[in-house]
Amino acid sequence: MDLKPGSRWASQVCDTEIVVVRAASAGVSLECGGQAMVPVGGDRAPGATPDPAFAAGSPIGKRFADPASGLEILVTKAGAGSLAIGGVAIPLKEAKPLPSSD
Amino acid sequence: MHLSSLLEIAADALGDRVAVSARGDGALTYADLLARAEAASRHVQHAGVGRLVAVDVNSEAVPIGLFAAALAGIPYVPVNYRLADAQLVAILTRAAPGLAVVEPSVPGRLGPGIDGLVLLSRDEFLQVDGPAAPSRGEGDAEDPAVLLFTSGTTGEPKAAVLRHRHLTSYVLETVEFLGAGPDEATLVCVPPYHIAGIAAVLTSVWAGRRLVYLPHFSAAEWVDLAVAEAVTHAMVVPTMLGRILEVLRERDEKLPALRHLSYGGGRMPIALVEEALGLLPHVGLVNAYGLTETSSTIAVLGPDDHRDAIASSDPDVRMRLGSVGRPLPNLEVEVRDPLGAALPPGTHGEIWVRGEQVSGEYLGRAATLSPDGWLATNDGGWLDAEGFLFVEGRLDDVIVRGGENLSPGEIEDVLLQHPAVADCAVVGVPDDQWGEAVAAVVVLADGAGADAGTLQGWVAERLRSTRSPQRIEFRAELPYSETGKLLRRVLKAELCAEPEASHQGPPSGS
């Protein structure tokens, strides 16, 4: 999967959608609810539900960053599945908001 | 990422929230804004134009136009309609071919018209639609998103190129997606051809903060609108803040809804910042420093920095009230010597910046970034030991007197501390003995009096005597651009042309 910055991906097993903020240094497989994510608007597996091991949920507006590959993603639509790369959960990235300046 | 994705994602998440308060025909929700931008983009695509130009005041047509251009895959080109006719024609000729949304006075000022430029009034533009066009897919982040012409007084107009990736990098790195509460509203009074006007659209949409537009700045209308719309956030340039504070004092208005007031786009007198802190104690002040070429802000002095500085008895901390704060975390900022070598804290030099939001690119010109991605800003400044950045103004404005480099800003700050001085500007004028001499143009406070000798003595006591203005002129006001930039070149030209009306002789010692 080509996780270009700005590309948008959807879960196959819940409502989660994400946008890629920072690309990974190498090819990785991005999953949600235990299933590979697909491009927003693309075909998804019918009737699938999140794997209970990856069902902690993806909250809207939160960032997740993979320290190993450098991949950083932002949740743009909340869903029941949680995000992982190759079966390993991606940690939440706490960002300190900057004061609005424009 | 692409600008169109910013709006599409926000509209998905917040379709029903109000995105833009429009006067007259009501407000636009995020879903409405996307629908209006899509309709305008269909028209633009059907017309086959290469650029969407806007020569107009602020209104909902600005966010609609900006996103319509992005959806159509063409650059948005906002232009200052108040330029002199010849300059407007020159810039529009470079902006063509395209479609231009124009203010009513514009068509009559373009002579026979501009080849390849189709003009539409704002009302016409707000009605346009076109046949459905084939989907463009995600949009290329490498494409130019916005072209901003500099209003330079000499030479060919120069257009900064900001690509989608520059602007969206700025938004993603500085703004929390949906970070604004449903009650938040931002008052935009900087014009659309100012980078802060463009950035305000993008950051507000991404945060979910309602945009409120003031078409022309007047302090009274700014205050009226801030009250009427319960504005929580606003950005002003230095000349605006002084006038706004005056109106607030006259009306004893406290703006209870206001939470954040950001200022930038020029040097802010410390006395004015202190006055704002005193008059609006519930408001967080934010000083932002940035350039068109850096997609807006690169350093920020936040509300806590302001409060810490004003409460401190340590002169080094207190001084930070005059700084632009710390660089954004995703950027690198260095102060360098004229050969490009990085300088240690406390040393004056040129400010350089590197990061994904930095474009440094001009239409039809060679790249200005160094091979490793650094932009030389042409601003002089220094960093303190804690990383606070102090900006001293354009390097072109530095006065070289007898081999010594003098910063106009430093001398202006001292003059402004004199109770009789309401405003002032310091420039270098040619001098047979010293190469350049320090000249000051002073606007006295209402009812105050001070002669040149008094002010020369005031500066000499606080700085070295070589920095005391050799010549002081008194004026009723100083020339500023519409975006609040002091027009030093205009003053300098006037001083060079005028006899020395208030010449008081050179300061003693040197």
Side-chain angles (χ1 to χ4, degrees):
Chain A
M1 61 203 306
D2 186 10
L3 296 165
K4 279 189 309 180
S7 63
R8 297 170 63 188
W9 300 81
S11 169
Q12 297 203 64
V13 296
C14 66
D15 294 331
T16 303
E17 287 185 13
I18 65 101
V19 62
V20 176
V21 174
R22 221 173 274 285
S25 54
V28 294
S29 163
L30 177 63
E31 299 139 5
C32 183
Q35 287 283 330
M37 297 190 84
V38 294
V40 166
D43 292 335
R44 38 191 291 175
T49 53
D51 177 336
F54 296 97
S58 297
I60 192 164
K62 294 293 177 192
R63 286 176 190 237
F64 292 84
D66 176 36
S69 67
L71 180 74
E72 187 173 327
I73 58 182
L74 171 74
V75 177
T76 55
K77 198 174 270 184
S82 48
L83 299 156
I85 289 176
V88 180
I90 313 178
L92 184 71
K93 182 186 176 184
E94 288 294 353
K96 189 170 164 270
L98 289 160
S100 160
S101 63
D102 296 298
Chain B
M1 193 158 159
H2 202 265
L3 295 195
S4 51
S5 301
L6 294 179
L7 178 58
E8 286 165 352
I9 292 170
D12 255 2
L14 292 173
D16 295 337
R17 190 183 280 192
V18 173
V20 190
S21 291
R23 290 148 313 128
D25 53 354
L28 298 177
T29 64
Y30 283 92
D32 295 336
L33 178 58
L34 179 58
R36 301 281 288 269
E38 281 172 340
S41 88
R42 286 191 291 269
H43 175 80
V44 166
Q45 280 174 289
H46 185 64
V49 296
R51 286 172 186 165
L52 181 59
V53 181
V55 200
D56 199 4
V57 298
N58 269 327
S59 78
E60 69 273 24
V62 173
I64 292 172
L66 176 60
F67 288 115
L71 287 161
I74 62 171
Y76 183 66
V77 191
V79 174
N80 181 0
Y81 78 96
R82 280 182 168 164
L83 291 172
D85 294 0
Q87 224 179 349
L88 187 61
V89 168
I91 284 181
L92 291 180
T93 303
R94 291 225 38 214
L99 187 76
V101 184
V102 299
E103 194 266 345
S105 77
V106 171
R109 297 169 51 203
L110 303 180
I114 309 286
D115 233 15
L117 198 67
V118 179
L119 308 185
L120 279 184
S121 74
R122 186 200 310 162
D123 287 342
E124 286 169 332
F125 175 70
L126 291 174
Q127 304 295 327
V128 295
D129 201 341
S135 164
R136 299 166 308 100
E138 249 158 28
D140 192 342
E142 205 52 51
D143 285 343
V146 175
L147 305 179
L148 287 177
F149 281 92
T150 59
S151 56
T153 52
T154 54
E156 205 191 347
K158 204 163 80 164
V161 179
L162 299 173
R163 298 178 184 277
H164 288 270
R165 62 182 166 85
H166 297 127
L167 291 162
T168 55
S169 159
Y170 171 66
V171 173
L172 291 173
E173 295 292 352
T174 62
V175 183
E176 194 186 349
F177 177 54
L178 311 185
D183 59 331
E184 291 187 22
T186 193
L187 175 45
V188 183
C189 61
V190 288
Y193 56 84
H194 190 291
I195 180 61
I198 296 295
V201 173
L202 303 176
T203 58
S204 300
V205 161
W206 194 238
R209 187 175 295 128
R210 179 164 57 99
L211 286 159
V212 177
Y213 278 111
L214 180 61
H216 294 280
F217 179 78
S218 93
E221 285 175 48
W222 189 96
V223 173
D224 290 343
L225 199 53
V227 171
E229 295 279 355
V231 161
T232 56
H233 290 66
M235 189 265 173
V236 295
V237 299
T239 45
M240 295 172 177
L241 183 62
R243 289 184 233 155
I244 289 168
L245 294 182
E246 232 169 84
V247 172
L248 294 178
R249 251 193 327 262
E250 276 166 22
R251 298 191 191 172
D252 195 23
E253 171 61 58
K254 298 283 184 210
L255 301 176
L258 191 65
R259 293 176 212 166
H260 265 76
L261 183 58
S262 109
Y263 58 93
R267 200 181 178 80
M268 182 70 93
I270 288 182
L272 205 53
V273 178
E274 289 175 342
E275 196 187 335
L277 282 167
L279 212 56
L280 301 167
H282 60 292
V283 174
L285 290 187
V286 180
N287 184 8
Y289 164 66
L291 289 78
T292 302
E293 298 89 331
T294 59
S295 310
S296 196
T297 305
I298 58 173
V300 170
L301 186 77
D304 292 342
D305 299 325
H306 279 83
R307 293 187 189 110
D308 292 349
I310 201 148
S312 180
S313 52
D314 178 342
D316 288 344
V317 175
R318 203 178 157 84
M319 197 176 173
R320 289 182 189 145
L321 213 47
S323 78
V324 297
R326 290 189 171 100
L328 301 183
N330 54 308
L331 286 171
E332 296 165 89
V333 167
E334 286 182 359
V335 172
R336 298 189 180 181
D337 71 13
L339 297 176
L343 292 166
T347 315
H348 300 246
E350 181 172 11
I351 299 168
W352 290 62
V353 58
R354 176 164 73 174
E356 287 176 18
Q357 72 188 66
V358 178
S359 143
E361 188 187 339
Y362 297 95
L363 203 62
R365 299 197 182 198
T368 57
L369 296 188
S370 71
D372 54 353
W374 288 89
L375 174 75
T377 63
N378 189 36
D379 276 336
W382 57 282
L383 286 157
D384 78 5
E386 303 271 323
F388 285 79
L389 180 64
F390 290 77
V391 181
E392 296 171 320
R394 307 302 284 170
L395 288 173
D396 305 341
D397 297 331
V398 166
I399 301 164
V400 186
R401 180 186 185 272
E404 191 185 357
N405 285 355
L406 309 179
S407 153
E410 183 189 29
I411 302 167
E412 287 163 5
D413 281 350
V414 170
L415 279 169
L416 283 167
Q417 285 161 20
H418 192 283
V421 175
D423 199 2
C424 72
V426 167
V427 296
V429 290
D431 182 87
D432 291 342
Q433 190 179 357
W434 298 105
E436 271 190 305
V438 178
V441 181
V442 169
V443 179
L444 291 174
D446 283 346
D451 61 15
T454 307
L455 296 177
Q456 285 165 335
W458 174 269
V459 176
E461 273 169 38
R462 284 158 182 82
L463 299 171
R464 296 165 55 173
S465 62
T466 53
R467 293 174 191 201
S468 179
Q470 194 164 325
R471 178 177 167 190
I472 294 187
E473 305 275 342
F474 295 94
R475 297 268 182 95
E477 58 179 17
L478 298 179
Y480 284 97
S481 76
E482 263 182 86
T483 52
K485 294 208 194 303
L486 178 65
L487 299 172
R488 283 178 201 279
R489 275 177 296 188
V490 172
L491 271 182
K492 196 166 170 165
E494 287 172 3
L495 288 180
C496 293
E498 278 170 18
E500 297 188 27
S502 320
H503 186 200
Q504 299 287 310
S508 58
S510 49

